[in-house]
Amino acid sequence: MVNKIEMMGQFEQYAKDLIKEHKIPGVGIAFDQNNERIYEKAFGYRNVEKQLPIDADTIFGIASMTKSFTCVAIMQLQELGKLSVHDEVVKYLPDFRTHDEEKSKRITIHHLMTHTSGLPPIATHVYARKRSIDQDPSAKDYGLDLVNNPEPAIDTYEELLHYIAKQDFDLLGEPGEEFSYSNDCYGILGIIIDRVSGQSYEEYVMDHILKPIQMNNSFFDLEELKKKENATTLYMSRYSAEGVDVYEAPLWWDAPSMRAAGYLKSTINDILKYLAMFLNEGMAGENRILQPESVQQMVYPHVEFEKGRFYGYGLRIIPNYFGTTFINHGGGLKGVSSFMGILPEKGISGVLLSSLADVPSDKLFLGALNGIEGREPATKHMHFQTHDVPVEKLSKFKGTFISGEGMKVRVDIVDGCLAILTASGPNPLKCVEGNLFIGTLEDQENLIEFLSGADGNINRIFYSSRQILKSSDQV
């Protein structure tokens, strides 16, 4: 019989080593099973200088974990007969269009929810949070190129739709054909919720999800933070010749026109209440949030975006995770790195929240889940065989890939191996097969695929769940 106390002791040492390596100021993590708390732990502080502790009611940003809340709202509206996920977006947003108007008209709500609309990563989200970025001196140290953007801020839904319509880009393919993780898709879902429900997106989520689940410390409005004593300080990291320096960067970012993509603030206790709703077939205590069939649609593996990994509605699904289903999602934003997950067959749910971006929150979470399940913390559920590729066959993969969201991926050959060049040095890529490689993102192994155009030349890279286009002067 596995000694659970011993396994969690191994995890805690593993976590302390990772937290020290990445200089994470504060992390909170907890797991429930069948509505009972089975593990809870805080590492570090919500404010390092004042040594203020973290507990299960400490408020953190949750970033893209917000996306599943947006999908819950859509499913509720479908249950009320106000929309269908298979309706075209233009039925509710006649002002929605792209450069390819005919394809745009075929994009459905389902395509938005599953990131299969064909929209490539464009700069909408940069301009939606431009007012925050322009006020924040720490923005220059964020992992994306977000400063010195010349266009005006996108403050309203109308401005968001107009911005997308005027951009000159090609859709990645027919709607439903290509997966590329898209904050734009979820920004558009927020507009649909607003127009169909007759409430603002934020009011709708508050009234129909947060309040009925009794998520009493969860909100969108930054003004609410001023009323909350038990909230984390945000931190930023910067690279120098001496290494990584982590410093206080207290300004929270906001994107009023794209809050549906990732701007909820919450706590460990509140998120565990929310996850319990999925385990209880849509019930939160005496309140029905979703019908069981809507829950099933949300956690259904609609599209495989990576080997063995699928996307549902605002949730990722691994159908075979050590023999069980694992439903999860993470989030990253300035001062935020979050992860939540459930094992529905086992009644287990968990969440990890932290106060620094671009750190391995998923690796920490999975380490704890391994301990709970009696495995050593670094155990992986999937292994890939890799092989060496002759240098002369690697040159076709070289290049710089740039997304409108501010991500720049530079690929070159270093010491005879393909590598992604990062601020901390080259990140080697190992070939799995063909154009599919494996590399490390935020200290976690991830599959990275090079994609070809009609001419057979590499013109995109699938990286960080996004299809990022090769710089035009290199195609």
Side-chain angles (χ1 to χ4, degrees):
M1 186 71 178
V2 174
N3 185 325
K4 182 181 167 186
I5 295 174
E6 180 184 336
M7 296 308 296
M8 294 316 291
Q10 284 186 33
F11 158 70
E12 287 175 12
Q13 186 56 55
Y14 172 82
K16 287 174 185 175
D17 291 343
L18 267 178
I19 288 165
K20 182 178 179 182
E21 178 187 350
H22 291 271
K23 300 186 177 180
I24 309 173
V27 174
I29 186 170
F31 286 82
D32 286 354
Q33 185 168 24
N34 300 325
N35 299 316
E36 290 188 8
R37 188 66 43 92
I38 58 171
Y39 181 74
E40 182 177 323
K41 182 73 176 177
F43 300 89
Y45 302 97
R46 71 175 193 264
N47 183 289
V48 174
E49 184 181 5
K50 297 177 183 176
Q51 296 200 346
L52 299 176
I54 293 167
D55 61 34
D57 291 317
T58 300
I59 295 161
F60 289 84
I62 69 167
S64 285
M65 279 167 40
T66 306
K67 288 181 168 68
S68 66
F69 290 81
T70 299
C71 290
V72 169
I74 290 286
M75 300 309 292
Q76 289 177 334
L77 293 170
Q78 177 172 262
E79 289 178 6
L80 292 170
K82 294 189 174 184
L83 57 74
S84 164
V85 296
H86 299 298
D87 288 338
E88 287 82 10
V89 172
V90 291
K91 178 176 179 179
Y92 306 99
L93 306 181
D95 39 351
F96 168 69
R97 64 186 184 281
T98 71
H99 186 63
D100 189 332
E101 291 203 33
E102 288 309 307
K103 278 184 186 171
S104 304
K105 290 176 183 175
R106 296 197 291 275
I107 295 172
T108 66
I109 295 171
H110 168 87
H111 295 144
L112 299 180
M113 296 165 82
T114 56
H115 303 286
T116 58
S117 68
L119 285 172
I122 56 177
T124 323
H125 195 203
V126 175
Y127 290 107
R129 51 188 166 166
K130 180 178 170 66
R131 297 198 188 279
S132 294
I133 290 165
D134 287 351
Q135 296 173 48
D136 190 353
S138 76
K140 67 184 186 303
D141 295 323
Y142 193 59
L144 303 176
D145 181 13
L146 301 179
V147 297
N148 301 318
N149 288 293
E151 298 191 49
I154 297 173
D155 295 324
T156 68
Y157 292 153
E158 291 71 26
E159 289 168 352
L160 188 152
L161 292 171
H162 176 70
Y163 180 85
I164 293 173
K166 73 177 184 179
Q167 299 306 300
D168 185 9
F169 61 82
D170 293 324
L171 290 171
L172 297 168
E174 282 289 331
E177 284 185 354
E178 300 287 341
F179 178 95
S180 183
Y181 190 89
S182 173
N183 287 308
D184 301 281
C185 284
Y186 275 75
I188 297 165
L189 287 170
I191 307 175
I192 292 172
I193 292 163
D194 175 278
R195 294 201 180 167
V196 170
S197 72
Q199 289 183 278
S200 73
Y201 167 79
E202 299 87 347
E203 288 173 343
Y204 183 91
V205 171
M206 182 67 73
D207 289 349
H208 299 273
I209 304 174
L210 304 182
K211 286 181 180 177
I213 299 178
Q214 297 184 7
M215 297 176 67
N216 300 323
N217 288 309
S218 301
F219 52 88
F220 291 94
D221 189 354
L222 289 178
E223 290 298 310
E224 283 293 311
L225 277 170
K226 298 174 182 176
K227 306 173 189 175
K228 307 287 187 181
E229 184 181 332
N230 188 7
T232 188
T233 300
L234 303 186
Y235 292 85
M236 186 72 86
S237 57
R238 59 186 164 216
Y239 290 91
S240 68
E242 290 75 39
V244 180
D245 174 37
V246 173
Y247 62 95
E248 273 192 35
L251 182 72
W252 290 69
W253 289 358
D254 198 6
S257 61
M258 291 186 73
R259 288 188 181 134
Y263 286 84
L264 188 61
K265 289 86 185 145
S266 194
T267 69
I268 285 170
N269 278 337
D270 277 6
I271 295 297
L272 287 170
K273 289 178 188 176
Y274 173 67
L275 295 178
M277 181 269 292
F278 288 93
L279 295 173
N280 296 327
E281 297 189 307
M283 294 295 293
E286 299 298 313
N287 296 320
R288 178 161 292 287
I289 309 302
L290 287 176
Q291 295 296 327
E293 53 267 31
S294 293
V295 173
Q296 288 307 308
Q297 283 186 61
M298 283 194 65
V299 303
Y300 184 82
H302 292 290
V303 55
E304 188 172 20
F305 65 91
E306 206 174 81
K307 285 196 173 189
R309 299 180 73 198
F310 296 76
Y311 209 87
Y313 288 161
L315 295 163
R316 294 185 174 99
I317 298 100
I318 301 176
N320 183 10
Y321 187 79
F322 295 105
T324 192
T325 307
F326 181 38
I327 299 161
N328 64 85
H329 210 284
L333 192 63
K334 183 260 177 100
V336 181
S337 193
S338 60
F339 198 87
M340 65 180 184
I342 54 179
L343 301 177
E345 291 95 339
K346 298 185 177 184
I348 293 174
S349 58
V351 60
L352 180 145
L353 303 174
S354 70
S355 55
L356 182 66
D358 298 328
V359 296
S361 56
D362 51 351
K363 192 171 184 178
L364 286 164
F365 180 98
L366 297 176
L369 185 57
N370 278 335
I372 287 167
E373 294 247 278
R375 298 182 291 268
E376 293 189 357
T379 309
K380 298 172 185 173
H381 85 284
M382 205 175 210
H383 297 273
F384 294 97
Q385 296 294 321
T386 62
H387 63 271
D388 294 331
V389 178
V391 174
E392 60 271 17
K393 292 189 176 181
L394 294 176
S395 59
K396 67 178 181 178
F397 301 115
K398 291 171 55 177
T400 299
F401 302 81
I402 299 174
S403 91
E405 291 181 304
M407 187 179 292
K408 183 181 287 187
V409 184
R410 294 171 57 216
V411 180
D412 208 341
I413 298 171
V414 179
D415 296 331
C417 295
L418 201 65
I420 290 174
L421 308 183
T422 70
S424 57
N427 178 354
L429 301 179
K430 299 174 183 176
C431 186
V432 177
E433 61 185 30
N435 292 354
L436 185 65
F437 290 75
I438 193 164
T440 304
L441 304 177
E442 296 174 16
D443 209 18
Q444 184 81 325
E445 280 192 341
N446 283 271
L447 290 172
I448 294 160
E449 188 171 7
F450 293 87
L451 304 170
S452 303
D455 60 2
N457 294 322
I458 302 295
N459 66 356
R460 288 167 287 160
I461 186 173
F462 187 72
Y463 177 89
S464 192
S465 297
R466 292 156 169 83
Q467 293 195 33
I468 303 174
L469 302 181
K470 195 171 189 180
S471 180
S472 57
D473 61 351
Q474 301 178 62
V475 174

